[in-house]
Amino acid sequence: MVFTTLAHLIDVDFLKEAFRGTRKQAAPGVDGVTADEYARDLDANLRDLHQRMRSGKYRALPVRRGWMPKDGGDDRPIGITALDDKVAQRAVTMILEAIYEQSFHDFSHGFRPGRSPHDALKELRDQALGLNISWVLDADISGFFDSLDHSHLREIIRRRVNDGGILRYIGKWLNAGVLDEGKLSYPERGTPQGGVISPMLSNIFLHTVLDEWFESDAKPCMRGRCFMIRFADDFVIGFEREDDARRMMDVLPKRFARFGLTIHPDKTRLVPFGRPGHDDESGPGAGTFDFLGFTPARPDLLEGLDVGHYWAKSRRGFWIIKRKTKRKRLSRALKAVWRWCKKHRHVQVMEQYRTLCSKLRGHYQYFGIRGNFRALQQVYYHVLRSWRFWLSRRSSDGHVPWVAFIERRRILRLPLPRIVHCV
């Protein structure tokens, strides 16, 4: 069914609900307006926004660009939208969500209500064990959010939503421009990573380009069993037979090229991931892959980490798939904790304690998956050592005895590592 009249659903009450769903701690956009300032006169601000959207006077402000470090020494561009635009984007996202959630496949987990990265990890493990998977295609789309083609995106949206008002709003946000260090530019491709509506647009785009194609065209042609798990633009495909995996490796770049996307030649690889033999004592190493580069949405969490998947023996001697934190990303996160303790060593001890507790609880909640306890312990003891080291630099002699520190810990006890998700 094609929906042609949807824009009239966005009224003041709808915008108020959209404002409730907007993250209040996010950084302000180019207008400098924070959520607290906007909420002081919320009804008037929303009525003004609604009037501008109805009369055609609404103009999207440029997106302020920030940068986030990632693997390889590069920086990931992050778009910070003005608050008026965030509310309007959230309202349109709510409408699109009600339409497309009925069509999205169950193996798509990214930025969907009631789904989380841990659901994707659980399904990946269950499918790999249940379907006798021997090969895994670990794929990476080169700069997906920066290279998304606007014309293909509009064509795909029109197949379900052909409302002129909704399409105009989306066009305004795609062409609003990017303000980077005082320089305004207007990219012809891409959608700001970090924008409110960007996850929904990416899911709609990849649902047509990848998900439907895999289910209707690729999967019926396979000789053996296979599955796919996708979280936003990050996806893996598992195969029972090697010939199926190699055919997919050949045809996948051609499929993406039709829609202006490219598969990263270095980060995309075919991994042998069969269950080891009974006498095979090999564990982590060859035949492992990384899936789900977590990027925490809360600033009080530790830095995002990758989860590595590998075969190992359980306590009963059976081969199972285990997950662990990727060593390179874990090292980077530990260095970030060290820098934080150094920078804030002169802050009141109770305030440091509360912040470190928040960081650790958030880390356990996010990465406390079954089989990853040692990595959690490593983070805990590193935080303890870092805090103790930089607290000792507050004293005149540069030393705080361990006994005094332990006595203090009876009151200021950091949260112990624990497994939260048995996935």
Side-chain angles (χ1 to χ4, degrees):
M1 181 176 180
V2 180
F3 295 84
T4 57
T5 55
L6 293 170
H8 70 281
L9 298 175
I10 302 178
D11 54 14
V12 176
D13 291 333
F14 201 86
L15 291 175
K16 186 175 293 186
E17 186 64 27
F19 177 79
R20 292 194 187 100
T22 303
R23 204 161 66 89
K24 308 301 188 294
Q25 294 80 19
V30 295
D31 57 352
V33 178
T34 64
D36 292 336
E37 295 171 350
Y38 197 87
R40 290 172 189 167
D41 198 1
L42 181 61
D43 291 337
N45 289 328
L46 294 181
R47 282 195 299 268
D48 177 66
L49 174 60
H50 178 244
Q51 182 62 32
R52 284 184 283 127
M53 294 179 71
R54 287 193 59 186
S55 62
K57 296 180 180 180
Y58 170 74
R59 296 291 182 270
L61 294 177
V63 176
R64 183 166 67 88
R65 172 164 288 175
W67 297 91
M68 178 182 293
K70 63 177 184 178
D71 275 349
D74 299 329
D75 290 331
R76 185 193 307 276
I78 301 296
I80 304 173
T81 314
L83 195 55
D84 254 353
D85 297 330
K86 288 180 182 178
V87 176
Q89 289 184 23
R90 177 64 63 188
V92 173
T93 299
M94 290 162 58
I95 291 177
L96 295 178
E97 189 176 89
I99 295 172
Y100 281 97
E101 272 297 317
Q102 320 302 320
S103 304
F104 288 160
H105 292 282
D106 290 337
F107 56 75
S108 172
H109 295 272
F111 307 106
R112 295 180 59 188
R115 295 173 181 262
S116 70
H118 304 99
D119 296 327
L121 291 175
K122 183 180 187 303
E123 185 175 352
L124 172 59
R125 183 177 183 271
D126 293 344
Q127 293 276 29
L129 290 171
L131 300 182
N132 193 28
I133 295 302
S134 299
W135 292 83
V136 169
L137 175 58
D138 185 9
D140 183 87
I141 305 175
S142 298
F144 171 74
F145 285 94
D146 296 329
S147 57
L148 193 148
D149 187 87
H150 293 177
S151 59
H152 285 301
L153 177 62
R154 293 191 188 95
E155 179 184 348
I156 290 172
I157 294 177
R158 284 196 186 98
R159 298 177 187 177
R160 293 296 307 277
V161 177
N162 198 18
D163 180 279
I166 298 295
L167 293 174
R168 277 194 299 272
Y169 296 147
I170 295 175
K172 290 176 186 291
W173 297 322
L174 293 176
N175 300 304
V178 175
L179 187 65
D180 187 5
E181 297 181 353
K183 297 180 181 179
L184 183 61
S185 60
Y186 296 91
E188 297 180 358
R189 302 169 67 89
T191 178
Q193 189 170 358
V196 174
I197 201 171
S198 295
M200 174 56 67
L201 296 181
S202 68
N203 275 337
I204 293 173
F205 192 84
L206 288 176
H207 171 72
T208 300
V209 174
L210 180 61
D211 299 356
E212 287 190 331
W213 170 79
F214 177 79
E215 280 292 311
S216 60
D217 297 342
K219 194 172 181 178
C221 298
M222 300 295 171
R223 295 182 177 180
R225 293 176 292 181
C226 63
F227 74 92
M228 182 172 70
I229 303 295
R230 183 174 68 82
F231 193 92
D233 61 328
D234 192 4
F235 67 96
V236 294
I237 307 178
F239 304 90
E240 187 178 16
R241 296 170 57 98
E242 181 180 358
D243 54 346
D244 289 339
R246 297 200 178 278
R247 278 195 299 158
M248 178 63 73
M249 190 75 171
D250 293 334
V251 76
L252 195 61
K254 301 175 184 178
R255 172 65 181 178
F256 279 108
R258 290 180 53 188
F259 295 89
L261 299 175
T262 57
I263 296 293
H264 199 292
D266 299 326
K267 296 182 180 180
T268 300
R269 60 196 185 101
L270 199 57
V271 182
F273 199 69
R275 186 193 302 267
H278 293 291
D279 299 329
D280 191 352
E281 297 298 330
S282 62
T288 67
F289 66 95
D290 303 320
F291 178 62
L292 264 246
F294 292 157
T295 303
R298 289 171 46 196
D300 57 332
L301 303 191
L302 297 178
E303 190 176 354
L305 308 175
D306 281 335
V307 177
H309 301 253
Y310 64 96
W311 285 98
K313 284 190 175 181
S314 66
R315 293 181 178 180
R316 297 183 178 180
F318 299 106
W319 284 105
I320 60 173
I321 297 176
K322 289 188 176 183
R323 282 73 55 90
K324 67 174 182 178
T325 303
K326 190 177 176 181
R327 183 180 303 174
K328 184 177 180 180
R329 301 292 293 273
L330 177 61
S331 175
R332 197 172 76 181
L334 299 182
K335 291 177 182 178
V337 173
W338 180 271
R339 290 194 297 268
W340 187 93
C341 292
K342 177 182 178 181
K343 181 179 179 180
H344 298 85
R345 64 185 183 274
H346 294 300
V347 178
Q348 290 185 357
V349 175
M350 283 302 298
E351 186 174 342
Q352 293 185 48
Y353 168 72
R354 285 192 292 267
T355 303
L356 289 175
C357 286
S358 178
K359 286 178 178 289
L360 283 174
R361 290 193 190 100
H363 184 82
Y364 301 155
Q365 182 67 32
Y366 222 77
F367 302 105
I369 59 177
R370 185 169 52 184
N372 201 34
F373 188 76
R374 289 186 178 179
L376 299 183
Q377 280 186 318
Q378 190 174 351
V379 170
Y380 169 78
Y381 287 117
H382 180 82
V383 170
L384 192 61
R385 287 192 299 267
S386 302
W387 194 30
R388 191 258 178 188
F389 178 87
W390 288 110
L391 279 181
S392 69
R393 295 304 182 267
R394 291 165 56 119
S395 61
S396 57
D397 58 356
H399 179 69
V400 172
W402 272 110
V403 175
F405 186 69
I406 293 174
E407 288 292 332
R408 187 178 301 167
R409 281 188 58 221
R410 291 181 180 177
I411 302 175
L412 307 181
R413 186 180 297 275
L414 294 175
L416 294 173
R418 64 191 183 97
I419 298 299
V420 180
H421 305 281
C422 293
V423 297

